[in-house]
Amino acid sequence: VHIPPFDIPRLETNPRITILRTPSVRTVFVGFNCLKEPFTDKRVRQALNYAVNKETILKELLGGVGRVSDAPIRPGIFGYAPIKTYEYNIEKAKAMLAEAGFPEGFETTLHPAVGRYYMDASVATAVVVDLLKVRVKAEIKSMEWGTYLPFILSEKEVAEHNLYILGWQTVTGDADFGLFSLFHSGEWPKKGMAASFYKNEKVDQLLEQARGSANPKERMRLYKDAMTLIVDDAPWIFLFSETQVTGVRANVKGMIVHPKEGVISKEAWIE
């Protein structure tokens, strides 16, 4: 059974239960609609990355289970390289917003999906509270998952979202699925899932070259170059990658928790 991180200390005292911690291939982020003002300005997107305290979110809301993102994909996925973590820096965020023409901040909306990505409502609230510190007032507008996904995947002409929370599983274990799918401009809705409407022609070129190469070293280099540009352009607030916490009866052996968040019990046994 997948368990909330804050239940770990209580369950660890129970000798009948074993706690398994397994990396997930899912990365959770706040996406910007890069076609909507003021998120067309990279300085605004970078500023909001500095404004959100990812370490505190991880510690206080997820019990320290997981890791703060330093790239759009997590370690263990082919093509991953550590790029940069936007540190928590309120003064820098305020200065960048002022430079971009928003010394008094602005108002916007944040859409989370109900019942997704751990404590999505709590994470959304934490993000909104941090943004208020730089005078950005983001109204939370939660949606049920069945309504949410079509909403953020509307075509650019009718898309209404400004900020949204989403998680992405790089289920293939290869950076192509985690990067091309979300950052190549040919993957904008409704064709694809790139709901941030991000476009950088150099990134497109690098991702296309990596997709067309059979040389692992070249692909690693191309993905690192692409991620360096993506992190600097900041089409997301890069939050965290998940760690799965699973409770299993202590007498059950051989249970496998897959990085894709499935539990495989085919060869498990009871002692």
Side-chain angles (χ1 to χ4, degrees):
V1 177
H2 292 296
I3 60 175
F6 281 99
D7 281 337
I8 295 172
R10 177 175 60 85
L11 294 176
E12 281 182 329
T13 65
N14 189 334
R16 295 178 298 174
I17 296 175
T18 299
I19 302 297
L20 304 178
R21 294 174 175 83
T22 312
S24 166
V25 292
R26 186 188 301 278
T27 293
V28 178
F29 59 91
V30 176
F32 297 105
N33 183 338
C34 296
L35 296 180
K36 288 281 187 74
E37 296 285 353
F39 307 119
T40 53
D41 191 326
K42 179 172 74 172
R43 295 170 297 181
V44 172
R45 303 194 301 265
Q46 289 177 335
L48 269 55
N49 266 279
Y50 286 116
V52 174
N53 192 334
K54 279 79 72 176
E55 292 281 0
T56 295
I57 289 175
L58 193 66
K59 179 181 178 181
E60 300 296 333
L61 300 183
L62 283 86
V65 179
R67 69 187 301 275
V68 171
S69 295
D70 57 4
I73 54 178
R74 66 162 297 143
I77 295 169
F78 177 85
Y80 163 82
I83 304 301
K84 172 184 178 178
T85 297
Y86 281 90
E87 76 275 10
Y88 180 54
N89 192 326
I90 289 291
E91 294 309 314
K92 188 168 187 174
K94 288 180 178 178
M96 293 186 76
L97 286 172
E99 181 184 330
F102 298 95
E104 300 303 319
F106 55 87
E107 295 184 4
T108 188
T109 53
L110 169 61
H111 286 89
V114 175
R116 304 287 291 194
Y117 317 123
Y118 280 110
M119 306 166 193
D120 55 299
S122 298
V123 171
T125 300
V127 169
V128 166
V129 168
D130 279 346
L131 295 184
L132 275 173
K133 297 172 186 175
V134 295
R135 304 186 184 94
V136 172
K137 299 178 182 178
E139 180 184 1
I140 295 175
K141 293 188 175 183
S142 299
M143 289 184 172
E144 295 292 338
W145 181 246
T147 305
Y148 181 75
L149 205 55
F151 175 77
I152 65 167
L153 294 179
S154 299
E155 294 177 274
K156 64 178 183 178
E157 291 81 9
V158 294
E160 298 179 17
H161 61 281
N162 293 301
L163 299 172
Y164 64 98
I165 296 181
L166 198 63
W168 184 261
Q169 286 184 290
T170 305
V171 293
T172 61
D174 188 282
D176 178 77
F177 191 75
L179 299 178
F180 199 101
S181 303
L182 299 181
F183 299 107
H184 190 284
S185 64
E187 295 297 309
W188 287 9
K190 286 196 171 186
K191 179 182 183 297
M193 298 284 291
S196 288
F197 298 107
Y198 167 69
K199 182 173 183 177
N200 181 316
E201 291 182 1
K202 181 62 176 176
V203 169
D204 285 352
Q205 181 184 30
L206 289 166
L207 295 179
E208 290 163 9
Q209 289 175 350
R211 173 170 277 193
S213 174
N215 184 321
K217 288 185 178 179
E218 180 186 27
R219 294 185 76 228
M220 288 288 291
R221 177 184 60 80
L222 292 167
Y223 285 132
K224 183 175 182 179
D225 290 347
M227 289 190 295
T228 300
L229 292 172
I230 291 166
V231 172
D232 183 66
D233 283 341
W236 295 354
I237 298 176
F238 301 91
L239 293 180
F240 56 85
S241 52
E242 295 183 347
T243 293
Q244 304 173 82
V245 182
T246 309
V248 183
R249 288 185 180 274
N251 63 339
V252 175
K253 307 297 180 183
M255 189 76 75
I256 298 172
V257 182
H258 197 278
K260 291 196 292 184
E261 302 177 1
V263 177
I264 302 171
S265 59
K266 183 179 179 181
E267 298 183 9
W269 69 94
I270 297 176
E271 284 190 345

